[in-house]
């Protein structure tokens, strides 16, 4: 998935004997997740959190949203996002938080590759036709975004450990 970032373990949180979660394990968790939670920022600064599906494609996470949905309106004024996924259990699994910037994808060839990735992951129930810079058309048009990560955090369990990954010197 994403290129190999710089990883550090935060010894303040977790088992002192724990080691950093390897990046390939974190990337695989992001790729195989079926559901994600996206946090965007409303115009008045309040957070907006919503579940959605997404795909790992071309080195980054991608999601889509209807043009009239709250998250689309939020992204018009602030591109800062957090995308989370995980197991929601205390004693096993891996929870992942991707903090970064949502960049809208408008190139139809790129959109087609992303649409194909959605269908490969979720099946034909999530088939998207590519319109003019969007998935679909008219009332059902959806914008597609790539999450450019600044920081990713992995929260491992058994043993508990918090690993932070940084990208491109951020």
């Amino acid at each position: 998935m994403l290129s190999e970032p710089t990883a550090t373990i935060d010894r303040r949180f977790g088992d002192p004997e724990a080691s950093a979660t390897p990046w390939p394990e974190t990337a695989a968790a992001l790729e195989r997740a079926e559901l994600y939670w996206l946090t965007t920022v409303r115009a008045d600064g309040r957070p907006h959190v919503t579940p959605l599906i997404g795909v790992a494609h071309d080195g980054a996470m991608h999601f889509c949203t209807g043009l009239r949905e709250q998250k689309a309106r939020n992204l018009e004024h602030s591109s800062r996002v957090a995308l989370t996924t995980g197991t929601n259990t205390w004693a096993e699994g891996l929870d992942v938080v991707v903090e970064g910037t949502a960049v809208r994808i408008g190139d139809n060839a790129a959109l087609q590759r992303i649409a194909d990735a959605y269908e490969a992951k979720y099946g034909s129930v999530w088939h998207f036709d590519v319109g003019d810079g969007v998935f679909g058309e008219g009332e059902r048009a959806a914008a597609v975004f790539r999450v450019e990560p600044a920081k990713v955090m992995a929260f491992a369990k058994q043993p508990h450990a918090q690993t932070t990954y940084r990208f491109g010197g951020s």
Side-chain angles (χ1 to χ4, degrees):
M1 208 201 81
L2 302 164
S3 61
E4 193 82 24
T6 303
T8 57
I9 188 165
D10 193 330
R11 295 283 176 209
R12 299 172 300 167
F13 308 108
D15 187 319
E17 304 301 315
S19 57
T21 302
W23 175 247
E25 186 177 329
T26 300
L30 286 167
E31 290 171 4
R32 73 175 168 263
E34 291 183 14
L35 187 66
Y36 307 86
W37 291 87
L38 180 71
T39 303
T40 57
V41 181
R42 295 173 190 264
D44 65 4
R46 292 179 298 137
H48 173 73
V49 182
T50 187
L52 48 64
I53 62 172
V55 294
H57 173 72
D58 195 24
M61 293 303 304
H62 292 79
F63 66 91
C64 62
T65 179
L67 298 175
R68 295 182 178 184
E69 292 184 36
Q70 183 66 51
K71 57 189 167 291
R73 293 193 311 266
N74 296 346
L75 290 167
E76 289 174 0
H77 72 85
S78 176
S79 61
R80 289 185 230 140
V81 297
L83 185 75
T84 64
T85 193
T87 58
N88 292 322
T89 60
W90 171 247
E92 63 183 352
L94 184 68
D95 298 325
V96 182
V97 177
V98 179
E99 294 179 352
T101 304
V103 177
R104 187 162 174 185
I105 307 297
D107 175 73
N108 282 0
L111 288 171
Q112 186 60 60
R113 291 189 296 273
I114 297 165
D116 293 344
Y118 268 101
E119 192 159 352
K121 181 175 181 178
Y122 294 101
S124 61
V125 69
W126 286 103
H127 172 84
F128 292 105
D129 290 320
V130 174
D132 187 16
V134 294
F135 283 172
E137 59 183 33
E139 296 287 319
R140 300 186 55 89
V144 179
F145 294 87
R146 171 187 178 105
V147 179
E148 296 289 344
K151 175 171 80 170
V152 174
M153 292 176 288
F155 299 90
K157 301 140 189 190
Q158 260 193 18
H160 284 84
Q162 178 179 323
T163 304
T164 300
Y165 310 92
R166 296 279 182 179
F167 297 82
S170 57

